Amino acid sequence: PMTSSTAGGPRRLGVMGGTFDPIHHGHLVAASEVAHLFELDEVIFVPTGRPWQKSESTVTSAEDRYLMTVIATASNPRFSVSRIDIDRPGPTYTIDTLREMRKIYGPEVELFFITGADALAKMLTWRNAADMFTLAHFVGCTRPGHRLTDPGLPKGGVSLVEVPALAISSTECRDRVRAGEPIWYLVPDGIVQYINKRHLYRQ
Ligand code: ATP
Ligand code: MG
């Protein structure tokens, strides 16, 4: 069943934070590749509550973003979705996400927080940046249009990895829907259908 080459050792959990407005194949490929490279037992997708860097009015409801994340990950036995950020009141800070993960999964699990190059570059501006590195190992992934560099994180706190390049962003997906352009194959089929059913991103 769910054995890995690290079976017997501490559980290795990936944490993929994001707004997922909507989730797209760039997110899924990055999570899948990091899971492979780091022999993760599971990747937990954590949709943000209210992202502190993005203004509230422009972000789709947490419930729609959560459901899209569930739909997109449902077929992968190693992917799951957590409600911890959308159920916590107030803006989402990654330090709180990681502390809650530790509370839920225990001190012995190994946490790998997965980010794209753009998010990694801004990490030192995140709240309690220094404490975050004591709670998780950070994995920065290549992303087309962004340079992947260690922004000066503590030694050993971050790994930089190359993942298959998909030049897809949620912003572009939303813009395309608004303009009546197709997003088939940029996002999973179920996400195209959910966006249509719920009339998301129309104006
Ligand atoms: P938006 O355009 O709304 O900011 P986004 O496409 O950047 O959306 P987010 O939800 O902001 O998606 O990103 C969540 C995480 O996934 C971030 O760490 C981001 O860097 C990473 N990511 C997003 N798209 C890609 C991609 N195409 N390749 C690699 N990493 C990605
Ligand atoms: Mg983004």
Side-chain angles (χ1 to χ4, degrees), residues 12 26 32 39 58 61 65 67 79 88 91 99 108 119 121 131-132 139 143 158-159 168-169 176 179 182 203:
R12 297 164 68 84
S32 167
E39 301 183 313
T58 61
S61 83
R65 292 183 293 105
L67 283 175
F79 285 178
R88 189 183 332 103
R99 283 184 180 139
E108 63 286 344
D131 292 345
M132 293 195 306
V139 182
R143 180 173 188 182
V158 64
S159 304
I168 306 172
S169 72
R176 290 183 66 92
Q203 52 203 0

Side-chain angles (χ1 to χ4, degrees), residues 138-153:
F138 285 76
V139 182
C141 302
T142 49
R143 180 173 188 182
H146 303 273
R147 182 183 295 277
L148 180 66
T149 50
D150 178 346
L153 309 189

Side-chain angles (χ1 to χ4, degrees), residues 19 27 54 118 122 143 170-171:
T19 314
H27 300 127
K54 296 179 183 178
D118 58 312
K122 294 182 201 139
R143 180 173 188 182
S170 300
T171 299

